[in-house]
Amino acid sequence: MTKIDLFFEDPAILRRPPGRYSVLYLLRRDINTCMGIDPDRPNCQALWPGAMAIFAGIDLLGKFLAGDDSFRSGKSSTRFKNFVRTYFQAVSQENAAIIYQLRNSLLHSFGLYSMDSQGNEYIFTLIDSQTQGPLVRDLGSGHYLVDIRTLHNLFETAITNYEADLKKDSSLQDNFAAMFPKYGVVDIGRHVVRVE
């Protein structure tokens, strides 16, 4: 199995430790559980943590797309928005910025309020439409309605499209190779660590 094939392994394939696991595989498996679509846990649902994991996934894939993981001011924002603009179908630059603000509000505060560097306020309402509706609806006065189910569907489509581009673009492969040693896989074993 190539590194690309391992990284994009289907999360529906159930594997048990010990073994080497793709970070993206583990993340998608947990997202599926949070979204209530894990066949092993059909009654389990945790939508906010699911959205948080999707945003972590966009951050992860943004690093791979850029071939960069630097923490200089604005780099994370640029990578996130670039991945969304490139791979989330028909998401405008404005909506990419709105989704980034939702990412900030959930990941940094586990809340639904954010303020950007220009002082613009963002207040979010999250819904689960169970259908493919619009990702973002502007309700006016800095209020936005975001559909978590649509976010998840767009994320999965983005993964498929990025993988297809990666397999045929040598510059994307170079970027991927630069990030894979740091963020590509984890080894999970059954070892017990003794603390003395």
Side-chain angles (χ1 to χ4, degrees):
M1 178 181 286
T2 69
K3 291 177 180 178
I4 291 174
D5 290 335
L6 175 61
F7 187 70
F8 290 97
E9 184 176 3
D10 183 350
I13 297 169
L14 183 61
R15 293 195 296 119
R16 303 266 186 228
R20 177 163 272 204
Y21 292 84
S22 155
V23 170
L24 185 62
Y25 166 86
L26 294 171
L27 186 63
R28 291 169 75 195
R29 205 174 64 181
D30 288 348
I31 290 167
N32 287 346
T33 298
C34 290
M35 298 302 291
I37 56 176
D38 182 342
D40 291 333
R41 299 176 186 164
N43 298 320
C44 183
Q45 187 168 297
L47 296 178
W48 281 29
M52 293 169 75
I54 291 168
F55 292 139
I58 296 169
D59 282 333
L60 174 72
L61 293 169
K63 289 176 185 176
F64 277 88
L65 179 64
D68 174 54
D69 63 347
S70 63
F71 292 102
R72 290 189 307 259
S73 178
K75 285 292 206 172
S76 174
S77 170
T78 300
R79 288 190 300 259
F80 183 97
K81 292 175 193 173
N82 186 48
F83 186 84
V84 169
R85 280 192 303 266
T86 304
Y87 289 106
F88 275 49
Q89 299 171 346
V91 171
S92 68
Q93 186 164 338
E94 179 184 2
N95 281 348
I98 292 167
I99 292 302
Y100 181 72
Q101 291 302 319
L102 175 57
R103 168 222 182 259
N104 292 345
S105 70
L106 281 174
L107 293 181
H108 296 297
S109 305
F110 198 67
L112 296 175
Y113 170 84
S114 184
M115 182 183 293
D116 66 18
S117 59
Q118 287 80 39
N120 299 311
E121 293 184 310
Y122 297 81
I123 301 166
F124 296 99
T125 300
L126 303 182
I127 62 168
D128 177 13
S129 69
Q130 296 292 320
T131 61
Q132 184 78 23
L135 176 61
V136 176
R137 286 184 228 163
D138 187 341
L139 303 177
S141 303
H143 289 76
Y144 300 94
L145 190 69
V146 178
D147 188 329
I148 295 177
R149 192 69 53 183
T150 299
L151 176 68
H152 181 241
N153 291 337
L154 289 171
F155 178 64
E156 285 295 324
T157 301
I159 291 169
T160 300
N161 293 337
Y162 171 56
E163 179 184 11
D165 286 352
L166 179 61
K167 287 183 174 180
K168 61 186 178 191
D169 185 318
S170 61
S171 65
L172 289 180
Q173 291 167 11
D174 290 343
N175 291 350
F176 179 88
M179 295 296 102
F180 190 83
K182 297 178 185 178
Y183 305 106
V185 293
V186 294
D187 291 309
I188 300 176
R190 293 191 178 129
H191 303 290
V192 176
V193 177
R194 290 181 55 164
V195 179
E196 298 188 25

